[in-house]
Amino acid sequence: MFTGFSSETVDFLWGIRFNNERGWFEAHKEDYQRHVLAPMRELGEALYDHMEQAYPKLWLNLHVSRIYRDARRLYGRGPYKDHLWLSLRHENEAWASRPVFYFEIMPEGYSYGMGFYSATAQTMERFRRQAAADPKPLERLARRLSRQDVFHLEGEEYARKKPSPSKVLEPWISRKYITLCRDLPYDDLCFSPALADTVKEGFDFLVPYYEYFAALCREEEGFTNL
């Protein structure tokens, strides 16, 4: 059962950022497993159970990231990540270019939301074509987002703006990928069991956005499920 993260969680994440080598990690491995990995898995299980019961037709699976970096992609960095995340996503080999729900902790704070880890140019081009051909569904979603102050739209923008079918869609159309996220510094909520319910409520709000982008990916690949 998820009871919240702790100050020890934060201490470990800062520690691995500034001591990113095997000796330090091995000396603090128990702290990692107890204060970082275990609560992350407990939170993930709570979120998965909620989404599975509320939205079984989304066919989501829970994944918790590993702290070990891919040895092929170190690029001068240490062997460990200083952040950990979980994702609820469809089991697809191309998951990185498909929408996912996520929660992430890092030394500075935590974040959760829904979006693409690495959308392909083809996916985003299909998104723009769909928005141009039938802008009203996305306009409704855009206005819905603007009426709340929890999640905000993020994603790297093209240097040259893409043509938008309407004013309300301009912030959406010129992005290389799209994420709807909430970024927070560590607070009492993060150290409380109530965090699970707050993230559940956030995911509930984001489901229509997930369904919109998942449908685009289904059409792109000709799948009946995503």
Side-chain angles (χ1 to χ4, degrees):
M1 179 180 294
F2 179 72
T3 58
F5 293 99
S6 65
S7 59
E8 289 84 359
T9 306
V10 184
D11 290 344
F12 176 86
L13 294 173
W14 279 113
I16 198 66
R17 172 170 290 184
F18 292 111
N19 303 276
N20 204 313
E21 47 88 18
R22 188 173 184 276
W24 191 93
F25 177 76
E26 290 298 326
H28 296 83
K29 189 172 183 178
E30 184 176 346
D31 294 332
Y32 163 70
Q33 292 174 334
R34 180 177 179 182
H35 300 298
V36 182
L37 182 60
M40 181 65 87
R41 285 177 171 168
E42 291 163 358
L43 176 60
E45 289 165 2
L47 298 175
Y48 172 79
D49 289 345
H50 169 73
M51 298 297 282
E52 176 68 12
Q53 292 175 18
Y55 314 101
K57 293 184 179 180
L58 294 186
W59 303 99
L60 300 174
N61 289 285
L62 170 65
H63 294 264
V64 177
S65 65
R66 301 173 71 245
I67 195 170
Y68 306 97
R69 293 189 190 277
D70 187 332
R72 297 168 298 177
R73 297 180 173 87
L74 292 182
Y75 304 121
R77 299 175 292 180
Y80 306 102
K81 301 166 188 167
D82 60 7
H83 54 289
L84 200 72
W85 67 90
L86 64 85
S87 61
L88 295 172
R89 65 184 195 242
H90 186 80
E91 203 65 47
N92 187 305
E93 291 183 1
W95 71 266
S97 60
R98 302 294 177 259
V100 304
F101 296 92
Y102 77 91
F103 177 92
E104 183 177 16
I105 52 173
M106 59 210 85
E108 297 85 355
Y110 64 104
S111 174
Y112 62 96
M114 187 286 306
F116 293 88
Y117 178 76
S118 180
T120 66
Q122 292 83 358
T123 294
M124 297 309 293
E125 180 58 31
R126 183 176 184 85
F127 160 65
R128 287 187 287 273
R129 290 199 306 267
Q130 176 66 25
D134 184 14
K136 290 190 181 301
L138 185 59
E139 288 175 343
R140 286 194 291 269
L141 292 175
R143 292 190 178 98
R144 181 172 179 262
L145 185 70
S146 69
R147 292 193 294 267
Q148 54 84 61
D149 59 2
V150 176
F151 295 101
H152 61 276
L153 176 66
E154 281 194 358
E156 183 182 354
E157 297 187 69
Y158 287 99
R160 179 176 296 178
K161 297 288 185 182
K162 302 287 185 179
S164 175
S166 67
K167 185 74 172 178
V168 70
L169 294 184
E170 285 181 359
W172 296 72
I173 295 301
S174 289
R175 297 185 186 270
K176 297 180 181 180
Y177 62 91
I178 283 176
T179 299
L180 303 179
C181 58
R182 187 184 192 191
D183 304 317
L184 294 165
Y186 286 109
D187 52 15
D188 291 342
L189 177 63
C190 193
F191 303 139
S192 163
L195 176 65
D197 288 335
T198 298
V199 179
K200 289 175 191 176
E201 292 174 4
F203 284 3
D204 287 340
F205 174 82
L206 294 171
V207 164
Y209 300 88
Y210 175 90
E211 290 178 327
Y212 180 88
F213 287 103
L216 289 177
C217 294
R218 279 200 303 271
E219 293 172 7
E220 183 179 356
E221 298 185 347
F223 290 162
T224 56
N225 287 319
L226 178 73

